[in-house]
Amino acid sequence: MAKITFLGAAGTVTGSKYLIEAGGKRLLVDCGLFQGSHDLTDRNWQTLPIEPASIDWVVLTHAHIDHTGYIPRLVKAGYRGPFYCNPSTHELCTILLLDSAHLQEEEAKFVQQKGYSQHKPALPLYTVAEAQTALNQFREIPRVECFQISPEFGVCPHDAGHILGSTWLELTITENGKKTLVVFSGDIGRYDQVILKDPEPPSRADYLLCESTYGDRDHPPGSPEDKLAEVINRVAKRGGSVVVPSFAVGRIQTLMYFLKELEDQKKIPMLPVYVDSPMAISVTDLYEKHKEDHDVDFSREEAAHIDPLNVANVHMTRSVEDSKKINDVVTPCIILSASGMATGGRVLHHLAKRLPDSRSAVLIVGFQAEGTLGRQIEDGSKMVKIFGEMVPVRAEVVDLPQLSAHAGRSELLRWLSGIKTAPKMTFLVHGEPAALESFRGAVDATYHWPVQVAGYQQTFEFNL
Ligand SMILES: [Zn+2]
């Protein structure tokens, strides 16, 4: 009997992992890391309820760590099969997984020195060498063409408009001569955004898994540019700096695009912009290479000798020394740095430095999961803990949800509108409990489909 087990992103936004079993074979869709509270991150250390060596194939929707960050751990635990993904996702994973491993190693070293580890000795979840080993198991599949993995499983990827290389998947399961079509939304992007294309809509699904990150709310209407300009002008006037915790993939490029436009239109002063993320620098190069994912016209811009993703006074900092030097900058500047939810990475140093300064501002531009430092700042905490020390939050905190990479509630409903025949079951995943429950009500009210919120480690049998 073909079935699905929800091994992550069920009742929460991170740890995406869906196990599909049919004809005695096992396929995993996404292999994400849990992020946020200790309860969630502890799951990364627990053994999976099934033997990793018994999984035959893994297919990835996109490169974000909450969809791929468990990969080295899966390999370490015995998985020897391929990780199928398109070329952009492969290249992004190479950057992101090595960085994730590096962060794990750094964090383990740091907590070991500080002596506040729960594990003794403090160990990384995986090392850079282990991430490298896992990357050797990646196999590229076409960006949009259908791909037959085995007699049991065929997959057709479609553009999800969320980040470079992001897809949603149509998985055709064949068992005993019967077929069923399962749609995995991955993460769905926004409509009418700059750089990336609109998400393609699905036209049919026997079963459907839909993300619900913003299932309970819509993003405010309008372009984020005006609000971005307002904040930058206000902060620059009072002599402060703007710190933006941002995902290296997508958000930083979108911010650069807007900053450049605002500079060109003379709506903001030409401030130094520090892109303090070696990953983001490498990722920006990939946009030029993978033109199939976006509508930025590099050829036109190149002809004019300008880079559409770079402002005039940009500083790309690769080395740790250069990163630390940004702490000495006392004149107004803009710092874009990862990680996006301030769960690690160089942005922690910048937050520790700038949060106590009432002239400065922190810009929240992406989803902040429960239990993350980013969420505490977004929720208005007056004191936060960084590197084991309490840091007062005196800087202004500005939410800019228009810059989100995720579809809002109406956009998710719009994405679903292409499906004319009700799926036998719609599972809502990748959301926090309130968003999932609210979106369940919305799907029910709009389409009258059978819909349920997927439970962690729940198994459901498909009716082929
Ligand atoms: Zn994502």
Side-chain angles (χ1 to χ4, degrees):
M1 190 60 135
K3 59 186 179 183
I4 182 167
T5 305
F6 300 89
L7 297 177
T12 183
V13 285
T14 59
S16 285
K17 279 179 219 83
Y18 311 112
L19 180 74
I20 320 297
E21 296 171 87
K25 298 290 181 186
R26 285 175 163 168
L27 171 84
L28 192 68
V29 175
D30 282 345
C31 191
L33 200 67
F34 286 104
Q35 294 167 302
S37 68
H38 283 303
D39 284 351
L40 286 173
T41 53
D42 277 351
R43 290 183 186 172
N44 297 322
W45 292 89
Q46 294 161 10
T47 47
L48 286 178
I50 48 129
E51 190 55 52
S54 72
I55 299 171
D56 298 281
W57 308 279
V58 179
V59 187
L60 306 173
T61 59
H62 67 292
H64 273 151
I65 285 295
D66 59 326
H67 294 255
T68 63
Y70 191 75
I71 283 174
R73 192 79 188 168
L74 193 76
V75 170
K76 194 174 175 174
Y79 174 70
R80 293 292 172 266
F83 294 95
Y84 289 122
C85 65
N86 61 43
S88 306
T89 301
H90 182 192
E91 289 193 68
L92 286 173
C93 279
T94 305
I95 297 168
L96 293 177
L97 289 180
L98 293 176
D99 178 75
S100 171
H102 178 71
L103 285 180
Q104 304 278 353
E105 286 186 2
E106 290 290 297
E107 204 178 289
K109 226 186 282 172
F110 191 81
V111 295
Q112 181 74 21
Q113 283 164 4
K114 291 271 173 177
Y116 57 79
S117 165
Q118 292 177 342
H119 312 272
K120 286 195 179 15
L123 294 171
L125 193 59
Y126 46 83
T127 62
V128 170
E130 285 162 345
Q132 193 61 64
T133 302
L135 284 163
N136 293 336
Q137 287 169 232
F138 272 59
R139 299 289 177 268
E140 290 184 5
I141 60 172
R143 179 72 177 86
V144 287
E145 282 159 49
C146 296
F147 174 74
Q148 195 65 36
I149 293 174
S150 73
E152 298 82 14
F153 299 114
V155 68
C156 299
H158 299 267
D159 197 334
H162 167 64
I163 60 165
L164 203 71
S166 68
T167 55
W168 58 268
L169 303 174
E170 276 182 331
L171 178 75
T172 303
I173 304 173
T174 308
E175 196 180 51
N176 301 326
K178 290 182 179 168
K179 286 181 190 297
T180 200
L181 182 71
V182 187
V183 168
F184 295 84
S185 73
D187 287 353
I188 300 299
R190 303 205 59 196
Y191 287 85
D192 307 318
Q193 61 188 332
V194 298
I195 304 181
L196 292 177
K197 294 177 183 171
D198 278 357
E200 246 181 81
S203 57
R204 67 182 197 92
D206 294 318
Y207 294 94
L208 170 69
L209 274 72
C210 186
E211 69 119 323
S212 316
T213 317
Y214 286 95
D216 57 346
R217 63 201 127 129
D218 272 317
H219 302 303
S223 159
E225 274 177 287
D226 294 340
K227 198 164 173 199
L228 191 60
E230 262 173 47
V231 180
I232 291 169
N233 284 313
R234 187 164 67 228
V235 174
K237 211 168 159 185
R238 61 183 186 230
S241 300
V242 180
V243 181
V244 195
S246 29
F247 287 110
V249 185
R251 288 316 77 196
I252 286 188
Q253 290 78 23
T254 308
L255 276 161
M256 291 290 267
Y257 186 94
F258 282 129
L259 290 173
K260 177 165 173 48
E261 279 208 338
L262 291 170
E263 276 190 2
D264 288 352
Q265 295 163 11
K266 305 207 176 350
K267 288 184 177 169
I268 55 170
M270 284 209 185
L271 300 178
V273 176
Y274 294 92
V275 179
D276 188 25
S277 163
M279 270 193 302
I281 303 169
S282 310
V283 168
T284 303
D285 296 340
L286 292 182
Y287 277 73
E288 190 160 1
K289 192 165 165 193
H290 293 285
K291 297 184 171 73
E292 66 276 15
D293 277 343
H294 60 77
D295 24 40
V296 178
D297 185 358
F298 278 89
S299 57
R300 182 178 59 85
E301 305 279 356
E302 267 167 14
H305 299 289
I306 48 169
D307 181 343
L309 298 180
N310 272 338
V311 294
N313 189 1
V314 67
H315 303 263
M316 303 280 189
T317 48
R318 281 193 189 268
S319 74
V320 176
E321 291 68 39
D322 286 347
S323 171
K324 285 181 181 160
K325 276 187 204 150
I326 303 173
N327 274 351
D328 303 333
V329 178
V330 290
T331 49
C333 66
I334 299 169
I335 304 166
L336 314 179
S337 187
S339 74
M341 297 191 283
T343 48
R346 292 180 179 181
V347 77
L348 293 183
H349 295 278
H350 300 304
L351 289 171
K353 169 82 183 173
R354 314 277 170 175
L355 277 175
D357 179 1
S358 59
R359 297 169 306 165
S360 291
V362 178
L363 217 56
I364 305 289
V365 297
F367 187 79
Q368 306 295 319
E370 268 174 4
T372 60
L373 175 62
R375 179 66 161 262
Q376 290 172 40
I377 295 170
E378 186 181 29
D379 284 351
S381 296
K382 292 289 166 228
M383 292 289 266
V384 292
K385 202 179 207 177
I386 302 178
F387 301 129
E389 277 163 32
M390 297 311 289
V391 176
V393 181
R394 296 193 199 99
E396 182 186 357
V397 178
V398 183
D399 235 327
L400 207 58
Q402 291 98 330
L403 272 172
S404 170
H406 280 274
R409 174 190 175 101
S410 311
E411 290 168 304
L412 284 173
L413 289 170
R414 175 177 169 185
W415 183 72
L416 294 175
S417 68
I419 300 175
K420 299 304 174 203
T421 307
K424 290 175 196 169
M425 184 55 71
T426 296
F427 297 97
L428 300 184
V429 294
H430 203 288
E432 286 175 359
L436 289 161
E437 198 43 51
S438 168
F439 196 53
R440 194 191 60 74
V443 172
D444 181 36
T446 312
Y447 298 114
H448 315 294
W449 296 346
V451 53
Q452 57 173 270
V453 173
Y456 181 49
Q457 300 199 349
Q458 173 196 354
T459 294
F460 182 92
E461 288 187 356
F462 295 126
N463 183 11
L464 265 58

